[in-house]
Amino acid sequence: MEEISIVSPQVLGAGQAFGCVNGDFRLNVRADLMQLWPDEPDHFAIWATRHITDDPDADTPVGPFHRRRDFAAYIAHELAARPALSSVRHIRKTAMALGERDGAWHITLDDDSRVSAARVVLATGNPPPDWPFRGPVADSDRLVRVPWRGDWPDHIGRQARVVIIGSGLTALDALHTLRLRGHEGDIRLVAPDGLLPPVQTDWHDAEPLAWPQTSSAAGFLRFMRDTVGDLPWEKTEWQRRFESLRFNISAAWQSLPATEQTRLMRRLGWLWSLARFRAGPQAHGSAMAMLDSGQLRLVTGLVTGIDSRDDDTHQVRLASGASLDADAVVNCSGAGRDQLITRLLDDGVARRHDGLAARPALTPRLQLLRPDGNAYDTLFGVGPMTAHVAGDVLGSASIARQARGLAARLITQQAG
Ligand SMILES: Cc1cc2nc3c(=O)[nH]c(=O)nc-3n(C[C@H](O)[C@H](O)[C@H](O)COP(=O)(O)OP(=O)(O)OC[C@H]3O[C@@H](n4cnc5c(N)ncnc54)[C@H](O)[C@@H]3O)c2cc1C
């Protein structure tokens, strides 16, 4: 039998999303939608009822929204309960490069050692954020480039003037933790559209919709628009219809040509993200309270740089020419660039996607491609790095379903 090794510097199951230390950061969907085992959709919700006994704030009128770190504890619990999984070899290093030679893959690790493998699955998740502008910024306790772990609020004084870059779910997490810690200073949130994510509703009974055959971005969009109708997106019924679209959206997405996928992502990627990623009631409530009190102001614009002064304050430059003074800046601009994938593309190990050159081309069976266009049968991707081709594979439930499909194919391939 093939031996399986996992290369990751982090504890298994505690990656970028759930490996956070901040108890104020919560899952952004209710417990029954966090599905690790596709055959047992309520597994986490039931586990949480039994095991999370110290978190009364999880409960909301639209369902329980647990702490993200509790989901990591759940995964750890599930691993421990399965000896075959807990005995998998875990190499706690970062993979820097990958090359194929003599019928095997050779992976270079960050201490320059190497491991070899017959088959490789890239499951690198969401890469840590980069500052969303060119030019050097020295990360520090108060210039927070990667806020996901959540260890930064301790370094920010209560009176500090804070600038948050970005207005998605990470920004709402930042606002929520600052509010719970009694932050008193002004907060400015800079985003190109100046919009905050809508809040989760108590939608239920979304029926999977069959998508029509369409090979154009316009047809794809029309079906979505006709389905959600003219309702305001804050409404429960809007979200229920939107969720009914999502069941089969990945298959519909995969039937679009790469040029149409790219067109949709470029034109509407931001709007999709806003509608798709709704905030939990706790974080959304904090943002609304801070807006109401005037402590939080939304600034529509793009950040183009940060200049630090000798007195440890910062000037955040905007594309409009204006600037904002800050004692702390929190970068909530989203996932950055995956270093390993970038290296594979630059080294000519994997072919680039036709429309999105920074992403790898992939077959529907999640194989990466050789530069000549032939698919590897020993190099695969799974999770967020496949979303540009595979569709909405961003949340834990869809990643789990995709991983199960890939695992089944790998087992069949090995047997054959
Ligand atoms: C801040 C945040 C909050 C989220 N909240 C939710 C949520 O509430 N609900 C939900 O369903 N989804 C959420 N998501 C989506 C999330 O991406 C998925 O749910 C899921 O955690 C991703 O799983 P993954 O295994 O693909 O990636 P990860 O869990 O990020 O795991 C990837 C692992 O690969 C490692 N890695 C990366 N590159 C290398 C390398 N070169 N060498 C070795 N190891 C490497 C990383 O260190 C990490 O441990 C969130 C995402 C983020 C970023």
mmCIF file of all heavy atoms in Angstrom, residues 7-10 14-18 26-29 34 68 93-95 123-126 148 170 340 383-384 394-397 399, ligand 1:
data_model
loop_
_atom_site.group_PDB
_atom_site.id
_atom_site.type_symbol
_atom_site.label_atom_id
_atom_site.label_comp_id
_atom_site.label_asym_id
_atom_site.label_seq_id
_atom_site.Cartn_x
_atom_site.Cartn_y
_atom_site.Cartn_z
ATOM 1 N N VAL A 7 2.809 17.316 3.971
ATOM 2 C CA VAL A 7 3.810 18.362 4.206
ATOM 3 C C VAL A 7 3.043 19.628 4.568
ATOM 4 O O VAL A 7 2.294 20.162 3.747
ATOM 5 C CB VAL A 7 4.653 18.616 2.937
ATOM 6 C CG1 VAL A 7 5.661 19.736 3.190
ATOM 7 C CG2 VAL A 7 5.361 17.348 2.491
ATOM 8 N N SER A 8 3.186 20.086 5.782
ATOM 9 C CA SER A 8 2.536 21.346 6.191
ATOM 10 C C SER A 8 3.172 21.811 7.488
ATOM 11 O O SER A 8 3.361 21.012 8.404
ATOM 12 C CB SER A 8 1.032 21.130 6.411
ATOM 13 O OG SER A 8 0.488 22.290 6.999
ATOM 14 N N PRO A 9 3.485 23.114 7.563
ATOM 15 C CA PRO A 9 4.093 23.603 8.809
ATOM 16 C C PRO A 9 3.078 23.669 9.946
ATOM 17 O O PRO A 9 3.454 23.782 11.108
ATOM 18 C CB PRO A 9 4.583 25.008 8.429
ATOM 19 C CG PRO A 9 3.743 25.414 7.270
ATOM 20 C CD PRO A 9 3.350 24.159 6.544
ATOM 21 N N GLN A 10 1.781 23.612 9.617
ATOM 22 C CA GLN A 10 0.760 23.817 10.650
ATOM 23 C C GLN A 10 0.162 22.502 11.153
ATOM 24 O O GLN A 10 0.291 21.461 10.508
ATOM 25 C CB GLN A 10 -0.341 24.710 10.088
ATOM 26 C CG GLN A 10 0.137 26.146 9.884
ATOM 27 C CD GLN A 10 -0.929 27.014 9.239
ATOM 28 O OE1 GLN A 10 -1.322 26.796 8.115
ATOM 29 N NE2 GLN A 10 -1.381 28.014 9.972
ATOM 30 N N ALA A 14 -5.805 22.825 11.240
ATOM 31 C CA ALA A 14 -5.753 24.192 11.773
ATOM 32 C C ALA A 14 -4.972 25.055 10.788
ATOM 33 O O ALA A 14 -3.902 25.563 11.103
ATOM 34 C CB ALA A 14 -5.105 24.192 13.153
ATOM 35 N N GLY A 15 -5.507 25.187 9.586
ATOM 36 C CA GLY A 15 -4.838 25.983 8.543
ATOM 37 C C GLY A 15 -5.146 27.464 8.731
ATOM 38 O O GLY A 15 -5.332 27.943 9.852
ATOM 39 N N GLN A 16 -5.246 28.169 7.617
ATOM 40 C CA GLN A 16 -5.397 29.631 7.700
ATOM 41 C C GLN A 16 -6.710 30.032 8.370
ATOM 42 O O GLN A 16 -6.772 31.042 9.060
ATOM 43 C CB GLN A 16 -5.369 30.233 6.287
ATOM 44 C CG GLN A 16 -4.124 29.900 5.499
ATOM 45 C CD GLN A 16 -2.894 30.595 6.054
ATOM 46 O OE1 GLN A 16 -2.927 31.185 7.131
ATOM 47 N NE2 GLN A 16 -1.801 30.507 5.332
ATOM 48 N N ALA A 17 -7.763 29.253 8.141
ATOM 49 C CA ALA A 17 -9.071 29.683 8.641
ATOM 50 C C ALA A 17 -9.272 29.324 10.117
ATOM 51 O O ALA A 17 -9.695 30.155 10.916
ATOM 52 C CB ALA A 17 -10.174 29.030 7.806
ATOM 53 N N PHE A 18 -8.974 28.088 10.453
ATOM 54 C CA PHE A 18 -9.388 27.601 11.784
ATOM 55 C C PHE A 18 -8.241 27.602 12.794
ATOM 56 O O PHE A 18 -8.478 27.475 13.992
ATOM 57 C CB PHE A 18 -10.002 26.202 11.640
ATOM 58 C CG PHE A 18 -11.032 26.159 10.533
ATOM 59 C CD1 PHE A 18 -10.951 25.243 9.492
ATOM 60 C CD2 PHE A 18 -12.059 27.093 10.510
ATOM 61 C CE1 PHE A 18 -11.875 25.246 8.457
ATOM 62 C CE2 PHE A 18 -12.988 27.115 9.481
ATOM 63 C CZ PHE A 18 -12.893 26.181 8.450
ATOM 64 N N ARG A 26 -15.272 34.037 14.471
ATOM 65 C CA ARG A 26 -16.261 32.949 14.389
ATOM 66 C C ARG A 26 -16.411 32.438 12.968
ATOM 67 O O ARG A 26 -16.061 33.121 12.003
ATOM 68 C CB ARG A 26 -17.624 33.457 14.885
ATOM 69 C CG ARG A 26 -17.614 33.713 16.367
ATOM 70 C CD ARG A 26 -18.950 34.150 16.920
ATOM 71 N NE ARG A 26 -18.784 34.313 18.358
ATOM 72 C CZ ARG A 26 -18.877 33.326 19.240
ATOM 73 N NH1 ARG A 26 -19.215 32.115 18.834
ATOM 74 N NH2 ARG A 26 -18.664 33.534 20.525
ATOM 75 N N LEU A 27 -16.950 31.243 12.871
ATOM 76 C CA LEU A 27 -17.317 30.688 11.574
ATOM 77 C C LEU A 27 -18.324 31.628 10.932
ATOM 78 O O LEU A 27 -19.151 32.218 11.631
ATOM 79 C CB LEU A 27 -17.930 29.297 11.748
ATOM 80 C CG LEU A 27 -16.994 28.284 12.391
ATOM 81 C CD1 LEU A 27 -17.755 26.999 12.744
ATOM 82 C CD2 LEU A 27 -15.821 27.966 11.462
ATOM 83 N N ASN A 28 -18.263 31.742 9.614
ATOM 84 C CA ASN A 28 -19.191 32.675 8.985
ATOM 85 C C ASN A 28 -20.447 31.994 8.453
ATOM 86 O O ASN A 28 -21.254 32.625 7.782
ATOM 87 C CB ASN A 28 -18.479 33.503 7.913
ATOM 88 C CG ASN A 28 -17.694 32.635 6.957
ATOM 89 O OD1 ASN A 28 -18.230 31.658 6.452
ATOM 90 N ND2 ASN A 28 -16.437 32.969 6.716
ATOM 91 N N VAL A 29 -20.594 30.708 8.737
ATOM 92 C CA VAL A 29 -21.876 30.041 8.453
ATOM 93 C C VAL A 29 -22.326 29.291 9.706
ATOM 94 O O VAL A 29 -21.508 28.966 10.566
ATOM 95 C CB VAL A 29 -21.790 29.049 7.263
ATOM 96 C CG1 VAL A 29 -21.509 29.779 5.966
ATOM 97 C CG2 VAL A 29 -20.760 27.974 7.505
ATOM 98 N N MET A 34 -21.352 23.589 8.220
ATOM 99 C CA MET A 34 -19.923 23.239 8.288
ATOM 100 C C MET A 34 -19.819 21.720 8.205
ATOM 101 O O MET A 34 -19.880 21.025 9.215
ATOM 102 C CB MET A 34 -19.312 23.759 9.597
ATOM 103 C CG MET A 34 -19.259 25.261 9.700
ATOM 104 S SD MET A 34 -18.185 26.057 8.471
ATOM 105 C CE MET A 34 -16.582 25.396 8.860
ATOM 106 N N ARG A 68 -14.068 29.918 15.363
ATOM 107 C CA ARG A 68 -13.316 29.191 14.323
ATOM 108 C C ARG A 68 -12.369 28.169 14.945
ATOM 109 O O ARG A 68 -12.178 27.084 14.433
ATOM 110 C CB ARG A 68 -12.534 30.176 13.445
ATOM 111 C CG ARG A 68 -13.422 30.957 12.498
ATOM 112 C CD ARG A 68 -12.738 31.156 11.150
ATOM 113 N NE ARG A 68 -11.583 32.005 11.174
ATOM 114 C CZ ARG A 68 -11.620 33.321 11.027
ATOM 115 N NH1 ARG A 68 -12.767 33.949 10.870
ATOM 116 N NH2 ARG A 68 -10.512 34.014 11.027
ATOM 117 N N LYS A 93 7.027 21.053 7.565
ATOM 118 C CA LYS A 93 7.883 21.963 6.784
ATOM 119 C C LYS A 93 7.029 22.587 5.691
ATOM 120 O O LYS A 93 5.928 22.130 5.402
ATOM 121 C CB LYS A 93 9.005 21.181 6.105
ATOM 122 C CG LYS A 93 9.848 20.329 7.022
ATOM 123 C CD LYS A 93 11.169 21.010 7.269
ATOM 124 C CE LYS A 93 12.094 20.179 8.137
ATOM 125 N NZ LYS A 93 11.918 20.438 9.548
ATOM 126 N N THR A 94 7.617 23.603 5.034
ATOM 127 C CA THR A 94 6.951 24.221 3.889
ATOM 128 C C THR A 94 7.602 23.705 2.614
ATOM 129 O O THR A 94 8.839 23.629 2.536
ATOM 130 C CB THR A 94 7.094 25.755 3.972
ATOM 131 O OG1 THR A 94 6.443 26.184 5.166
ATOM 132 C CG2 THR A 94 6.470 26.454 2.783
ATOM 133 N N ALA A 95 6.782 23.349 1.641
ATOM 134 C CA ALA A 95 7.312 22.907 0.337
ATOM 135 C C ALA A 95 7.642 24.145 -0.489
ATOM 136 O O ALA A 95 6.789 25.022 -0.660
ATOM 137 C CB ALA A 95 6.272 22.052 -0.374
ATOM 138 N N ALA A 123 -2.715 21.018 -1.824
ATOM 139 C CA ALA A 123 -3.904 21.423 -1.042
ATOM 140 C C ALA A 123 -3.513 22.608 -0.176
ATOM 141 O O ALA A 123 -3.693 22.600 1.035
ATOM 142 C CB ALA A 123 -4.386 20.251 -0.185
ATOM 143 N N THR A 124 -2.959 23.645 -0.838
ATOM 144 C CA THR A 124 -2.310 24.719 -0.088
ATOM 145 C C THR A 124 -3.284 25.765 0.459
ATOM 146 O O THR A 124 -2.861 26.697 1.140
ATOM 147 C CB THR A 124 -1.238 25.405 -0.970
ATOM 148 O OG1 THR A 124 -1.818 25.678 -2.251
ATOM 149 C CG2 THR A 124 -0.043 24.489 -1.165
ATOM 150 N N GLY A 125 -4.570 25.625 0.171
ATOM 151 C CA GLY A 125 -5.566 26.502 0.798
ATOM 152 C C GLY A 125 -5.460 27.943 0.338
ATOM 153 O O GLY A 125 -5.115 28.227 -0.807
ATOM 154 N N ASN A 126 -5.797 28.848 1.247
ATOM 155 C CA ASN A 126 -5.736 30.283 0.935
ATOM 156 C C ASN A 126 -4.380 30.829 1.335
ATOM 157 O O ASN A 126 -4.034 30.813 2.518
ATOM 158 C CB ASN A 126 -6.819 31.037 1.716
ATOM 159 C CG ASN A 126 -8.205 30.678 1.247
ATOM 160 O OD1 ASN A 126 -8.592 31.020 0.147
ATOM 161 N ND2 ASN A 126 -8.944 29.959 2.083
ATOM 162 N N TRP A 148 -5.367 36.910 9.967
ATOM 163 C CA TRP A 148 -6.244 35.747 10.134
ATOM 164 C C TRP A 148 -6.052 35.013 11.457
ATOM 165 O O TRP A 148 -7.001 34.487 12.020
ATOM 166 C CB TRP A 148 -6.041 34.764 8.971
ATOM 167 C CG TRP A 148 -6.568 35.280 7.662
ATOM 168 C CD1 TRP A 148 -7.457 36.295 7.480
ATOM 169 C CD2 TRP A 148 -6.236 34.794 6.349
ATOM 170 N NE1 TRP A 148 -7.692 36.478 6.144
ATOM 171 C CE2 TRP A 148 -6.972 35.571 5.425
ATOM 172 C CE3 TRP A 148 -5.404 33.780 5.867
ATOM 173 C CZ2 TRP A 148 -6.887 35.370 4.051
ATOM 174 C CZ3 TRP A 148 -5.328 33.583 4.502
ATOM 175 C CH2 TRP A 148 -6.072 34.362 3.604
ATOM 176 N N THR A 170 -13.072 39.306 6.685
ATOM 177 C CA THR A 170 -11.927 39.521 7.585
ATOM 178 C C THR A 170 -12.022 40.901 8.228
ATOM 179 O O THR A 170 -11.707 41.074 9.414
ATOM 180 C CB THR A 170 -10.604 39.366 6.810
ATOM 181 O OG1 THR A 170 -10.580 38.057 6.233
ATOM 182 C CG2 THR A 170 -9.407 39.529 7.711
ATOM 183 N N LEU A 340 4.153 28.494 -3.722
ATOM 184 C CA LEU A 340 4.524 27.210 -4.335
ATOM 185 C C LEU A 340 3.948 27.103 -5.753
ATOM 186 O O LEU A 340 4.641 26.706 -6.690
ATOM 187 C CB LEU A 340 4.027 26.047 -3.466
ATOM 188 C CG LEU A 340 4.333 24.651 -4.004
ATOM 189 C CD1 LEU A 340 5.846 24.425 -4.149
ATOM 190 C CD2 LEU A 340 3.730 23.579 -3.104
ATOM 191 N N GLY A 383 -9.222 22.082 -3.362
ATOM 192 C CA GLY A 383 -9.500 23.246 -2.512
ATOM 193 C C GLY A 383 -9.462 24.563 -3.263
ATOM 194 O O GLY A 383 -9.602 24.600 -4.493
ATOM 195 N N PRO A 384 -9.264 25.672 -2.523
ATOM 196 C CA PRO A 384 -9.366 27.003 -3.133
ATOM 197 C C PRO A 384 -8.486 27.207 -4.368
ATOM 198 O O PRO A 384 -8.854 27.970 -5.256
ATOM 199 C CB PRO A 384 -8.923 27.943 -1.993
ATOM 200 C CG PRO A 384 -9.277 27.203 -0.747
ATOM 201 C CD PRO A 384 -9.083 25.747 -1.058
ATOM 202 N N LEU A 394 -14.779 26.791 -1.999
ATOM 203 C CA LEU A 394 -14.120 27.740 -1.107
ATOM 204 C C LEU A 394 -14.441 27.482 0.358
ATOM 205 O O LEU A 394 -13.610 27.719 1.222
ATOM 206 C CB LEU A 394 -14.540 29.168 -1.484
ATOM 207 C CG LEU A 394 -14.120 29.579 -2.911
ATOM 208 C CD1 LEU A 394 -14.881 30.801 -3.377
ATOM 209 C CD2 LEU A 394 -12.629 29.804 -2.999
ATOM 210 N N GLY A 395 -15.636 26.983 0.624
ATOM 211 C CA GLY A 395 -16.003 26.702 2.007
ATOM 212 C C GLY A 395 -15.656 25.265 2.367
ATOM 213 O O GLY A 395 -15.397 24.427 1.487
ATOM 214 N N SER A 396 -15.658 24.979 3.674
ATOM 215 C CA SER A 396 -15.197 23.657 4.110
ATOM 216 C C SER A 396 -16.071 22.529 3.542
ATOM 217 O O SER A 396 -15.566 21.463 3.187
ATOM 218 C CB SER A 396 -15.166 23.590 5.638
ATOM 219 O OG SER A 396 -16.442 23.853 6.132
ATOM 220 N N ALA A 397 -17.393 22.745 3.410
ATOM 221 C CA ALA A 397 -18.264 21.657 2.941
ATOM 222 C C ALA A 397 -17.958 21.303 1.485
ATOM 223 O O ALA A 397 -17.856 20.119 1.127
ATOM 224 C CB ALA A 397 -19.724 22.069 3.096
ATOM 225 N N ILE A 399 -15.180 21.886 -0.149
ATOM 226 C CA ILE A 399 -13.828 21.318 -0.243
ATOM 227 C C ILE A 399 -13.863 19.842 0.179
ATOM 228 O O ILE A 399 -13.248 18.982 -0.453
ATOM 229 C CB ILE A 399 -12.815 22.110 0.627
ATOM 230 C CG1 ILE A 399 -12.701 23.546 0.117
ATOM 231 C CG2 ILE A 399 -11.440 21.439 0.614
ATOM 232 C CD1 ILE A 399 -11.901 24.454 1.023
HETATM 233 C C1 LIG B 1 -9.839 33.731 7.452
HETATM 234 C C2 LIG B 1 -10.691 32.668 6.827
HETATM 235 C C3 LIG B 1 -11.880 32.295 7.428
HETATM 236 C C4 LIG B 1 -12.672 31.294 6.855
HETATM 237 N N1 LIG B 1 -13.820 30.943 7.468
HETATM 238 C C5 LIG B 1 -14.556 29.936 6.960
HETATM 239 C C6 LIG B 1 -15.747 29.499 7.602
HETATM 240 O O1 LIG B 1 -16.159 30.056 8.616
HETATM 241 N N2 LIG B 1 -16.433 28.463 7.062
HETATM 242 C C7 LIG B 1 -16.002 27.835 5.929
HETATM 243 O O2 LIG B 1 -16.632 26.870 5.484
HETATM 244 N N3 LIG B 1 -14.902 28.249 5.292
HETATM 245 C C8 LIG B 1 -14.172 29.268 5.776
HETATM 246 N N4 LIG B 1 -13.052 29.682 5.125
HETATM 247 C C9 LIG B 1 -12.710 29.051 3.873
HETATM 248 C C10 LIG B 1 -11.577 28.048 4.081
HETATM 249 O O3 LIG B 1 -10.658 28.359 3.074
HETATM 250 C C11 LIG B 1 -11.984 26.617 4.026
HETATM 251 O O4 LIG B 1 -13.073 26.370 4.827
HETATM 252 C C12 LIG B 1 -10.924 25.602 4.444
HETATM 253 O O5 LIG B 1 -10.413 25.882 5.699
HETATM 254 C C13 LIG B 1 -9.770 25.532 3.493
HETATM 255 O O6 LIG B 1 -9.184 24.308 3.721
HETATM 256 P P1 LIG B 1 -7.869 23.908 2.997
HETATM 257 O O7 LIG B 1 -7.428 22.630 3.606
HETATM 258 O O8 LIG B 1 -8.040 23.976 1.530
HETATM 259 O O9 LIG B 1 -6.845 25.085 3.368
HETATM 260 P P2 LIG B 1 -6.161 25.429 4.765
HETATM 261 O O10 LIG B 1 -7.016 25.007 5.890
HETATM 262 O O11 LIG B 1 -5.729 26.862 4.703
HETATM 263 O O12 LIG B 1 -4.894 24.488 4.760
HETATM 264 C C14 LIG B 1 -3.845 24.670 3.839
HETATM 265 C C15 LIG B 1 -2.578 24.281 4.551
HETATM 266 O O13 LIG B 1 -1.524 24.200 3.602
HETATM 267 C C16 LIG B 1 -0.367 24.771 4.181
HETATM 268 N N5 LIG B 1 0.502 25.207 3.092
HETATM 269 C C17 LIG B 1 0.311 26.199 2.187
HETATM 270 N N6 LIG B 1 1.368 26.248 1.339
HETATM 271 C C18 LIG B 1 2.223 25.274 1.726
HETATM 272 C C19 LIG B 1 3.487 24.833 1.260
HETATM 273 N N7 LIG B 1 4.089 25.416 0.207
HETATM 274 N N8 LIG B 1 4.087 23.814 1.910
HETATM 275 C C20 LIG B 1 3.491 23.195 2.951
HETATM 276 N N9 LIG B 1 2.286 23.574 3.435
HETATM 277 C C21 LIG B 1 1.673 24.599 2.836
HETATM 278 C C22 LIG B 1 -0.895 25.934 5.012
HETATM 279 O O14 LIG B 1 0.050 26.297 5.971
HETATM 280 C C23 LIG B 1 -2.150 25.290 5.605
HETATM 281 O O15 LIG B 1 -1.865 24.618 6.788
HETATM 282 C C24 LIG B 1 -12.256 30.693 5.658
HETATM 283 C C25 LIG B 1 -11.051 31.078 5.053
HETATM 284 C C26 LIG B 1 -10.283 32.049 5.631
HETATM 285 C C27 LIG B 1 -8.991 32.434 4.977
#
